[in-house]
Coordinates of all heavy atoms in Angstrom, one line a residue:
M626 N 124.8 55.8 -222.3 CA 123.8 55.0 -223.1 C 122.6 54.6 -222.2 O 122.8 54.2 -221.1 CB 124.5 53.8 -223.7 CG 123.6 53.1 -224.7 SD 124.3 51.4 -225.2 CE 125.8 51.8 -225.9
E627 N 121.5 54.8 -222.7 CA 120.3 54.5 -222.0 C 120.2 52.9 -221.8 O 120.6 52.2 -222.7 CB 119.0 54.9 -222.8 CG 117.8 55.1 -222.0 CD 116.7 55.7 -222.8 OE1 116.9 56.7 -223.5 OE2 115.6 55.0 -222.9
K628 N 119.8 52.5 -220.6 CA 119.7 51.1 -220.3 C 118.7 50.4 -221.1 O 117.6 51.0 -221.4 CB 119.4 50.9 -218.8 CG 120.6 51.2 -217.9 CD 120.3 50.8 -216.5 CE 121.4 51.1 -215.6 NZ 121.2 50.8 -214.2
I629 N 119.0 49.2 -221.5 CA 118.0 48.4 -222.2 C 117.1 47.7 -221.2 O 117.5 47.1 -220.2 CB 118.8 47.3 -223.1 CG1 119.6 48.0 -224.1 CG2 117.8 46.3 -223.7 CD1 120.5 47.1 -224.9
K630 N 115.8 47.9 -221.4 CA 114.8 47.4 -220.5 C 114.4 45.9 -220.8 O 113.9 45.7 -221.9 CB 113.6 48.3 -220.4 CG 113.9 49.6 -219.8 CD 112.7 50.5 -219.7 CE 112.9 51.8 -219.0 NZ 114.0 52.5 -219.5
I631 N 114.6 45.0 -219.9 CA 114.2 43.6 -220.1 C 113.1 43.3 -219.1 O 113.3 43.5 -217.9 CB 115.4 42.7 -219.8 CG1 116.6 43.0 -220.8 CG2 115.0 41.2 -220.0 CD1 117.8 42.3 -220.5
E632 N 112.0 43.0 -219.6 CA 110.8 42.7 -218.8 C 110.5 41.2 -218.9 O 110.1 40.8 -220.0 CB 109.6 43.6 -219.2 CG 108.6 43.8 -218.1 CD 107.5 44.7 -218.7 OE1 107.8 45.5 -219.6 OE2 106.5 44.7 -218.1
I633 N 110.6 40.4 -217.9 CA 110.4 39.0 -217.9 C 109.0 38.7 -217.4 O 108.7 39.0 -216.3 CB 111.4 38.3 -217.1 CG1 112.9 38.6 -217.5 CG2 111.2 36.7 -217.1 CD1 113.9 38.2 -216.5
C634 N 108.2 38.0 -218.2 CA 106.9 37.6 -217.7 C 107.1 36.4 -216.8 O 107.7 35.4 -217.1 CB 106.0 37.1 -218.9 SG 104.4 36.6 -218.3
V635 N 106.6 36.5 -215.6 CA 106.7 35.4 -214.6 C 105.3 34.9 -214.2 O 105.1 34.4 -213.1 CB 107.5 35.8 -213.4 CG1 109.0 36.1 -213.7 CG2 107.0 37.1 -212.7
G636 N 104.4 35.1 -215.1 CA 103.0 34.6 -214.9 C 103.2 33.0 -214.9 O 104.2 32.5 -215.4
T637 N 102.2 32.4 -214.5 CA 102.3 30.9 -214.3 C 102.7 30.2 -215.6 O 103.6 29.4 -215.6 CB 100.9 30.3 -213.9 OG1 100.5 31.1 -212.7 CG2 101.0 28.9 -213.5
T638 N 102.1 30.5 -216.7 CA 102.4 29.8 -218.0 C 103.9 30.0 -218.4 O 104.6 29.1 -218.7 CB 101.5 30.3 -219.1 OG1 100.1 30.1 -218.7 CG2 101.7 29.4 -220.4
C639 N 104.3 31.2 -218.4 CA 105.7 31.5 -218.7 C 106.7 31.0 -217.7 O 107.7 30.4 -218.1 CB 105.9 33.0 -218.8 SG 105.1 33.7 -220.3
F640 N 106.3 31.0 -216.5 CA 107.2 30.5 -215.4 C 107.4 29.0 -215.7 O 108.5 28.5 -215.7 CB 106.6 30.7 -214.1 CG 107.6 30.5 -213.0 CD1 108.5 31.4 -212.6 CD2 107.6 29.3 -212.3 CE1 109.5 31.1 -211.6 CE2 108.5 29.0 -211.3 CZ 109.4 29.9 -210.9
V641 N 106.3 28.3 -215.9 CA 106.4 26.8 -216.1 C 107.2 26.5 -217.4 O 107.9 25.5 -217.5 CB 105.0 26.2 -216.2 CG1 105.0 24.8 -216.7 CG2 104.3 26.3 -214.8
M642 N 107.1 27.4 -218.4 CA 107.8 27.1 -219.7 C 109.2 27.6 -219.7 O 109.9 27.5 -220.7 CB 107.0 27.8 -220.8 CG 105.6 27.1 -221.0 SD 104.6 27.8 -222.3 CE 105.3 26.8 -223.7
G643 N 109.7 28.1 -218.6 CA 111.1 28.4 -218.5 C 111.6 29.8 -218.1 O 112.8 30.1 -218.2
A644 N 110.6 30.6 -217.8 CA 111.0 32.0 -217.4 C 111.9 32.0 -216.2 O 112.8 32.9 -216.1 CB 109.8 32.8 -217.1
S645 N 111.8 31.0 -215.4 CA 112.7 31.0 -214.2 C 114.2 31.0 -214.6 O 115.0 31.6 -213.9 CB 112.3 29.8 -213.3 OG 112.5 28.6 -214.1
S646 N 114.5 30.3 -215.7 CA 116.0 30.3 -216.0 C 116.4 31.7 -216.5 O 117.6 32.1 -216.4 CB 116.2 29.3 -217.1 OG 115.6 29.5 -218.3
I647 N 115.5 32.5 -217.1 CA 115.8 33.8 -217.6 C 115.9 34.8 -216.4 O 116.7 35.7 -216.4 CB 114.7 34.3 -218.6 CG1 114.5 33.3 -219.7 CG2 115.1 35.7 -219.1 CD1 113.3 33.6 -220.6
Q648 N 115.3 34.5 -215.3 CA 115.3 35.3 -214.1 C 116.7 35.4 -213.6 O 117.1 36.3 -212.8 CB 114.4 34.8 -213.0 CG 112.9 35.1 -213.3 CD 112.1 34.6 -212.2 OE1 111.9 33.4 -212.1 NE2 111.5 35.4 -211.3
A649 N 117.6 34.5 -213.9 CA 119.0 34.5 -213.5 C 119.6 35.8 -213.8 O 120.5 36.3 -213.1 CB 119.8 33.4 -214.1
L650 N 119.1 36.5 -214.8 CA 119.6 37.8 -215.2 C 119.5 38.8 -214.2 O 120.2 39.8 -214.1 CB 118.9 38.3 -216.5 CG 119.4 37.8 -217.8 CD1 118.5 38.4 -218.9 CD2 120.8 38.3 -218.0
E651 N 118.5 38.6 -213.3 CA 118.2 39.6 -212.2 C 119.3 39.5 -211.2 O 119.5 40.5 -210.5 CB 116.8 39.4 -211.6 CG 115.7 39.7 -212.5 CD 114.4 39.5 -211.8 OE1 113.9 40.3 -211.1 OE2 113.8 38.3 -212.0
F652 N 119.8 38.4 -211.0 CA 120.7 38.1 -209.9 C 122.2 38.2 -210.3 O 123.1 38.5 -209.5 CB 120.4 36.8 -209.2 CG 118.9 36.7 -208.9 CD1 118.1 35.9 -209.6 CD2 118.3 37.6 -207.9 CE1 116.7 35.8 -209.3 CE2 117.0 37.5 -207.7 CZ 116.2 36.7 -208.3
E653 N 122.4 37.8 -211.5 CA 123.8 37.8 -212.0 C 123.9 38.3 -213.4 O 123.6 37.6 -214.4 CB 124.4 36.4 -211.9 CG 125.9 36.4 -211.9 CD 126.5 35.0 -211.7 OE1 125.9 34.2 -211.1 OE2 127.5 34.8 -212.3
I654 N 124.2 39.6 -213.5 CA 124.3 40.2 -214.9 C 125.7 39.9 -215.5 O 126.7 40.1 -214.8 CB 124.1 41.7 -214.7 CG1 122.7 42.0 -214.2 CG2 124.3 42.4 -216.1 CD1 122.4 43.5 -214.0
P655 N 125.7 39.4 -216.7 CA 127.0 39.1 -217.3 C 127.9 40.4 -217.3 O 127.3 41.5 -217.5 CB 126.6 38.7 -218.8 CG 125.2 38.2 -218.6 CD 124.6 39.0 -217.6
E656 N 129.1 40.2 -217.1 CA 130.1 41.3 -216.9 C 129.9 42.4 -218.0 O 129.9 43.6 -217.7 CB 131.5 40.8 -216.9 CG 132.4 41.6 -216.0 CD 133.6 40.9 -215.6 OE1 133.5 39.9 -214.9 OE2 134.7 41.4 -216.0
D657 N 129.8 42.0 -219.2 CA 129.8 43.0 -220.3 C 128.5 43.8 -220.4 O 128.4 44.8 -221.1 CB 130.0 42.3 -221.7 CG 129.0 41.3 -222.0 OD1 128.6 40.5 -221.1 OD2 128.5 41.3 -223.2
L658 N 127.5 43.4 -219.6 CA 126.2 44.1 -219.6 C 125.9 44.9 -218.3 O 124.9 45.5 -218.2 CB 125.1 43.0 -219.8 CG 125.2 42.3 -221.1 CD1 124.0 41.3 -221.2 CD2 125.2 43.2 -222.3
I659 N 126.9 44.8 -217.4 CA 126.7 45.6 -216.1 C 126.5 47.0 -216.5 O 127.3 47.6 -217.2 CB 127.9 45.3 -215.2 CG1 127.8 43.9 -214.7 CG2 127.8 46.3 -214.0 CD1 129.0 43.4 -213.8
G660 N 125.4 47.6 -215.9 CA 125.2 49.0 -216.1 C 124.5 49.3 -217.4 O 124.1 50.5 -217.7
K661 N 124.2 48.3 -218.2 CA 123.6 48.5 -219.5 C 122.2 48.0 -219.6 O 121.5 48.3 -220.6 CB 124.5 47.8 -220.6 CG 125.8 48.5 -220.7 CD 126.6 47.8 -221.8 CE 128.0 48.4 -221.9 NZ 128.9 47.7 -222.9
I662 N 121.8 47.2 -218.6 CA 120.4 46.6 -218.7 C 119.7 46.8 -217.4 O 120.3 47.0 -216.3 CB 120.4 45.1 -219.0 CG1 121.2 44.3 -218.0 CG2 121.0 44.8 -220.4 CD1 121.1 42.8 -218.1
E663 N 118.4 46.9 -217.5 CA 117.5 47.0 -216.4 C 116.5 45.8 -216.5 O 115.8 45.7 -217.5 CB 116.8 48.3 -216.5 CG 116.0 48.7 -215.3 CD 115.2 50.0 -215.5 OE1 115.8 51.0 -215.9 OE2 114.0 50.0 -215.3
V664 N 116.5 45.0 -215.5 CA 115.7 43.8 -215.6 C 114.5 43.9 -214.6 O 114.8 44.1 -213.4 CB 116.5 42.5 -215.3 CG1 115.7 41.2 -215.5 CG2 117.8 42.5 -216.1
T665 N 113.3 43.7 -215.1 CA 112.2 43.7 -214.2 C 111.3 42.4 -214.5 O 111.5 41.8 -215.5 CB 111.3 44.9 -214.3 OG1 110.9 45.0 -215.7 CG2 112.1 46.2 -213.9
E666 N 110.4 42.2 -213.6 CA 109.5 41.1 -213.8 C 108.1 41.6 -214.1 O 107.8 42.7 -213.6 CB 109.4 40.2 -212.5 CG 110.7 39.5 -212.2 CD 110.6 38.6 -211.0 OE1 109.5 38.6 -210.3 OE2 111.6 37.9 -210.7
S667 N 107.3 40.8 -214.7 CA 105.9 41.3 -215.0 C 105.0 40.1 -214.7 O 105.3 39.0 -214.8 CB 105.8 41.6 -216.5 OG 104.5 41.7 -216.9
R668 N 103.8 40.5 -214.3 CA 102.7 39.5 -214.2 C 102.4 39.1 -215.7 O 102.9 39.7 -216.6 CB 101.5 40.1 -213.6 CG 101.7 40.3 -212.1 CD 100.5 41.0 -211.6 NE 100.3 40.9 -210.2 CZ 99.3 41.3 -209.5 NH1 98.3 41.9 -210.1 NH2 99.3 41.1 -208.2
C669 N 101.5 38.1 -215.8 CA 101.1 37.6 -217.1 C 100.8 38.8 -218.1 O 100.0 39.7 -217.8 CB 99.8 36.8 -217.0 SG 99.2 36.2 -218.6
M670 N 101.5 38.8 -219.2 CA 101.4 39.8 -220.2 C 100.2 39.6 -221.1 O 100.0 40.3 -222.1 CB 102.6 40.0 -221.0 CG 103.9 40.4 -220.2 SD 105.3 40.3 -221.2 CE 106.6 40.9 -220.1
E671 N 99.5 38.5 -220.9 CA 98.3 38.1 -221.7 C 98.6 37.5 -223.1 O 97.7 37.1 -223.8 CB 97.3 39.3 -221.9 CG 96.9 39.9 -220.5 CD 95.9 39.1 -219.7 OE1 95.1 38.4 -220.4 OE2 96.0 39.1 -218.5
F672 N 99.9 37.4 -223.4 CA 100.2 36.9 -224.7 C 99.9 35.4 -224.8 O 99.6 34.8 -225.8 CB 101.7 37.1 -225.1 CG 102.0 38.5 -225.2 CD1 103.1 39.1 -224.4 CD2 101.4 39.4 -226.1 CE1 103.4 40.4 -224.5 CE2 101.7 40.7 -226.1 CZ 102.7 41.2 -225.4
C673 N 100.1 34.7 -223.6 CA 99.8 33.3 -223.6 C 98.4 32.9 -223.9 O 98.1 31.8 -224.1 CB 100.3 32.7 -222.2 SG 99.3 33.4 -220.8
K674 N 97.5 33.9 -223.8 CA 96.1 33.7 -224.0 C 95.7 34.0 -225.5 O 94.6 33.8 -225.9 CB 95.3 34.5 -223.0 CG 95.5 34.0 -221.6 CD 95.0 35.0 -220.6 CE 95.4 34.4 -219.2 NZ 95.4 35.4 -218.2
D675 N 96.6 34.5 -226.2 CA 96.3 35.0 -227.6 C 96.8 34.0 -228.6 O 98.0 33.9 -228.9 CB 97.0 36.3 -227.8 CG 96.6 37.0 -229.1 OD1 95.9 36.3 -229.9 OD2 97.1 38.1 -229.4
H676 N 95.9 33.1 -229.0 CA 96.4 32.1 -229.9 C 96.3 32.4 -231.4 O 96.6 31.7 -232.3 CB 95.5 30.8 -229.7 CG 95.8 30.2 -228.3 ND1 96.6 29.2 -228.1 CD2 95.4 30.6 -227.1 CE1 96.7 28.9 -226.8 NE2 96.0 29.8 -226.2
K677 N 95.8 33.6 -231.7 CA 95.5 34.0 -233.1 C 96.8 34.3 -233.9 O 96.9 33.9 -235.0 CB 94.6 35.2 -233.2 CG 93.1 34.7 -233.1 CD 92.2 35.9 -233.1 CE 92.3 36.5 -231.7 NZ 91.5 37.5 -231.2
D678 N 97.7 35.1 -233.3 CA 98.8 35.5 -234.1 C 100.1 34.8 -233.8 O 101.2 35.3 -234.0 CB 99.0 37.0 -233.8 CG 99.3 37.4 -232.4 OD1 99.3 36.4 -231.6 OD2 99.4 38.5 -232.1
G679 N 100.0 33.6 -233.2 CA 101.2 32.8 -233.0 C 102.0 33.3 -231.8 O 103.2 33.0 -231.6
H680 N 101.4 34.2 -231.0 CA 102.1 34.8 -229.9 C 102.0 33.9 -228.6 O 102.4 34.3 -227.6 CB 101.5 36.1 -229.6 CG 102.4 37.3 -230.0 ND1 103.7 37.3 -229.9 CD2 102.0 38.4 -230.6 CE1 104.2 38.4 -230.3 NE2 103.2 39.1 -230.8
H681 N 101.5 32.7 -228.8 CA 101.1 32.0 -227.6 C 102.3 31.1 -227.0 O 102.1 30.4 -226.1 CB 99.9 31.1 -227.9 CG 100.1 30.1 -229.0 ND1 100.1 30.5 -230.3 CD2 100.4 28.8 -229.0 CE1 100.3 29.4 -231.0 NE2 100.5 28.4 -230.3
K682 N 103.5 31.2 -227.6 CA 104.5 30.3 -227.1 C 105.4 31.1 -226.1 O 106.3 31.8 -226.5 CB 105.3 29.7 -228.3 CG 106.1 28.5 -227.8 CD 106.4 27.7 -229.1 CE 107.1 26.4 -228.8 NZ 107.9 26.3 -227.5
G683 N 105.2 30.8 -224.9 CA 106.1 31.4 -223.9 C 107.4 30.7 -223.7 O 107.6 29.7 -224.3
P684 N 108.2 31.1 -222.8 CA 108.1 32.3 -222.0 C 108.2 33.6 -222.9 O 108.9 33.6 -223.9 CB 109.2 32.2 -221.0 CG 110.2 31.3 -221.5 CD 109.4 30.4 -222.4
F685 N 107.6 34.6 -222.4 CA 107.6 35.9 -223.1 C 108.5 36.9 -222.3 O 108.5 37.0 -221.1 CB 106.2 36.5 -223.3 CG 105.4 35.7 -224.2 CD1 104.5 34.8 -223.7 CD2 105.4 35.9 -225.5 CE1 103.7 34.0 -224.5 CE2 104.6 35.1 -226.4 CZ 103.8 34.2 -225.9
V686 N 109.3 37.6 -223.1 CA 110.1 38.7 -222.5 C 110.0 39.9 -223.4 O 110.0 39.8 -224.7 CB 111.6 38.2 -222.5 CG1 112.5 39.3 -222.0 CG2 111.8 37.0 -221.6
K687 N 109.9 41.1 -222.8 CA 109.9 42.3 -223.6 C 111.3 42.9 -223.5 O 111.8 43.1 -222.4 CB 108.9 43.3 -223.1 CG 107.5 43.0 -223.6 CD 106.6 44.1 -223.1 CE 105.1 43.8 -223.4 NZ 104.2 44.8 -222.7
I688 N 111.8 43.2 -224.6 CA 113.1 43.9 -224.6 C 112.9 45.3 -225.3 O 112.6 45.3 -226.5 CB 114.2 43.1 -225.4 CG1 114.3 41.7 -224.7 CG2 115.5 43.8 -225.4 CD1 115.2 40.7 -225.5
N689 N 113.1 46.3 -224.5 CA 112.7 47.7 -224.9 C 111.3 47.7 -225.6 O 111.1 48.3 -226.6 CB 113.8 48.2 -225.9 CG 115.0 48.7 -225.2 OD1 115.0 48.9 -224.0 ND2 116.0 49.1 -225.9
G690 N 110.4 46.9 -225.0 CA 109.1 47.0 -225.5 C 108.7 46.0 -226.6 O 107.6 45.7 -226.9
E691 N 109.8 45.4 -227.2 CA 109.5 44.4 -228.3 C 109.4 43.0 -227.7 O 110.2 42.6 -226.9 CB 110.8 44.4 -229.2 CG 110.5 43.7 -230.5 CD 111.8 43.8 -231.4 OE1 112.4 44.8 -231.5 OE2 112.1 42.7 -231.9
V692 N 108.3 42.4 -228.1 CA 108.0 41.1 -227.5 C 108.8 39.9 -228.1 O 108.9 39.8 -229.3 CB 106.5 40.7 -227.7 CG1 106.2 39.4 -227.1 CG2 105.6 41.8 -227.1
M693 N 109.4 39.1 -227.3 CA 110.1 37.9 -227.7 C 109.3 36.7 -227.2 O 109.1 36.6 -226.0 CB 111.6 37.9 -227.2 CG 112.3 36.6 -227.5 SD 113.9 36.5 -226.8 CE 114.9 37.6 -227.8
A694 N 108.9 35.9 -228.1 CA 108.2 34.6 -227.7 C 109.3 33.5 -227.6 O 110.4 33.6 -228.2 CB 107.2 34.3 -228.8
D695 N 108.9 32.5 -226.9 CA 109.8 31.3 -226.8 C 111.2 31.8 -226.3 O 112.2 31.3 -226.9 CB 109.9 30.7 -228.2 CG 110.3 29.2 -228.1 OD1 110.4 28.7 -227.0 OD2 110.6 28.7 -229.2
A696 N 111.2 32.7 -225.4 CA 112.5 33.2 -225.0 C 113.3 32.3 -224.1 O 112.8 31.4 -223.4 CB 112.2 34.5 -224.1
T697 N 114.6 32.4 -224.3 CA 115.5 31.7 -223.4 C 116.6 32.7 -222.9 O 116.7 33.8 -223.5 CB 116.3 30.6 -224.2 OG1 117.1 31.2 -225.2 CG2 115.3 29.6 -224.8
Y698 N 117.3 32.3 -221.9 CA 118.4 33.1 -221.4 C 119.3 33.5 -222.5 O 119.6 34.7 -222.7 CB 119.1 32.3 -220.3 CG 120.3 33.0 -219.7 CD1 120.1 33.8 -218.5 CD2 121.6 32.8 -220.1 CE1 121.1 34.4 -217.9 CE2 122.6 33.5 -219.5 CZ 122.4 34.3 -218.4 OH 123.5 34.9 -217.8
D699 N 119.7 32.6 -223.3 CA 120.7 32.9 -224.4 C 120.1 33.8 -225.5 O 120.8 34.7 -226.0 CB 121.2 31.6 -225.0 CG 122.2 30.9 -224.1 OD1 122.8 31.5 -223.2 OD2 122.3 29.6 -224.2
K700 N 118.9 33.5 -225.8 CA 118.2 34.3 -226.9 C 118.1 35.8 -226.4 O 118.3 36.7 -227.2 CB 116.8 33.8 -227.2 CG 116.8 32.7 -228.3 CD 115.5 32.0 -228.5 CE 114.5 32.9 -229.2 NZ 113.2 32.2 -229.4
V701 N 117.7 36.0 -225.1 CA 117.6 37.3 -224.6 C 119.0 38.0 -224.6 O 119.1 39.2 -225.1 CB 117.0 37.3 -223.1 CG1 117.2 38.6 -222.5 CG2 115.6 36.8 -223.2
L702 N 120.0 37.3 -224.2 CA 121.3 37.9 -224.2 C 121.8 38.3 -225.6 O 122.4 39.3 -225.9 CB 122.4 37.0 -223.5 CG 122.3 36.9 -222.0 CD1 123.4 36.1 -221.5 CD2 122.2 38.3 -221.4
D703 N 121.5 37.4 -226.6 CA 121.9 37.6 -228.0 C 121.3 38.9 -228.5 O 121.9 39.7 -229.1 CB 121.5 36.4 -228.9 CG 122.4 35.2 -228.7 OD1 123.5 35.4 -228.0 OD2 122.1 34.2 -229.2
K704 N 120.0 39.0 -228.2 CA 119.2 40.2 -228.6 C 119.7 41.5 -228.0 O 119.9 42.5 -228.7 CB 117.7 40.0 -228.3 CG 116.8 41.1 -228.6 CD 116.6 41.2 -230.1 CE 115.6 42.3 -230.4 NZ 115.4 42.5 -231.8
V705 N 120.0 41.4 -226.7 CA 120.5 42.6 -226.0 C 121.8 43.0 -226.5 O 122.1 44.2 -226.8 CB 120.6 42.3 -224.5 CG1 121.4 43.3 -223.7 CG2 119.2 42.2 -223.9
R706 N 122.7 42.0 -226.7 CA 124.0 42.4 -227.3 C 123.9 42.9 -228.7 O 124.7 43.8 -229.1 CB 124.9 41.1 -227.2 CG 125.3 40.8 -225.8 CD 126.4 39.7 -225.7 NE 126.8 39.5 -224.3 CZ 126.7 38.3 -223.7 NH1 126.1 37.3 -224.2 NH2 127.1 38.2 -222.4
A707 N 123.0 42.4 -229.5 CA 122.8 42.9 -230.8 C 122.3 44.4 -230.8 O 122.8 45.2 -231.6 CB 121.8 42.1 -231.6
I708 N 121.5 44.7 -229.8 CA 121.0 46.1 -229.7 C 122.1 47.0 -229.3 O 122.3 48.1 -229.9 CB 119.8 46.2 -228.6 CG1 118.6 45.4 -229.1 CG2 119.5 47.6 -228.3 CD1 117.5 45.3 -228.1
I709 N 122.9 46.5 -228.4 CA 124.1 47.4 -227.9 C 125.1 47.6 -229.1 O 125.5 48.7 -229.3 CB 124.8 46.7 -226.7 CG1 123.9 46.7 -225.5 CG2 126.1 47.4 -226.4 CD1 124.3 45.9 -224.3
K710 N 125.3 46.5 -229.8 CA 126.3 46.6 -230.9 C 125.8 47.7 -231.9 O 126.5 48.5 -232.4 CB 126.4 45.3 -231.6 CG 127.6 45.2 -232.5 CD 127.8 43.7 -232.9 CE 128.9 43.7 -234.0 NZ 128.6 42.8 -235.1
K711 N 124.5 47.6 -232.2 CA 123.9 48.5 -233.2 C 124.0 49.9 -232.7 O 124.3 50.9 -233.5 CB 122.4 48.1 -233.4 CG 121.9 48.5 -234.7 CD 120.5 47.9 -234.9 CE 119.8 48.5 -236.1 NZ 118.4 48.1 -236.2
K712 N 123.7 50.1 -231.4 CA 123.8 51.5 -230.8 C 125.2 52.0 -230.9 O 125.4 53.2 -231.1 CB 123.3 51.5 -229.4 CG 121.9 51.5 -229.2 CD 121.5 51.7 -227.7 CE 120.0 51.7 -227.5 NZ 119.6 51.8 -226.1
E713 N 126.2 51.2 -230.6 CA 127.6 51.6 -230.6 C 128.1 51.9 -232.0 O 129.0 52.7 -232.2 CB 128.5 50.5 -230.0 CG 128.3 50.5 -228.5 CD 129.0 49.3 -227.8 OE1 129.5 48.4 -228.5 OE2 129.0 49.2 -226.6
E714 N 127.5 51.3 -233.0 CA 127.9 51.5 -234.4 C 127.3 52.9 -234.9 O 127.9 53.5 -235.8 CB 127.4 50.4 -235.3 CG 128.2 49.2 -235.2 CD 127.6 47.9 -235.9 OE1 126.5 48.1 -236.5 OE2 128.2 46.9 -235.8
N715 N 126.2 53.3 -234.3 CA 125.6 54.6 -234.8 C 126.2 55.8 -234.1 O 126.8 55.8 -233.1 CB 124.1 54.5 -234.5 CG 123.4 53.5 -235.5 OD1 123.9 53.3 -236.5 ND2 122.3 53.0 -235.0
Ligands
FES2089 S1 102.0 33.9 -218.3 FE1 103.4 35.0 -219.5 S2 102.1 35.9 -221.0 FE2 100.8 34.9 -219.7

């Protein structure tokens, strides 16, 4: 199965709003996700500057290219597990 790509914005705004807690994924991958995810960091993705479409609430994380606003460690894991479950069902 192709790895799920998780890109964590660690720009200043996102970092201050909690991206640091999501970075834990880089150092300790939950057992059920070992070998299934690829975690990287990104500089400011510019979403924090875009106030028009409600995208301004960080921290932002991209999961397989899909943007998650207001991300938390648990929300990211829930989303990743949902993607894996869906893939396994197909
Ligand atoms: S700091 Fe994360 S989108 Fe700007």
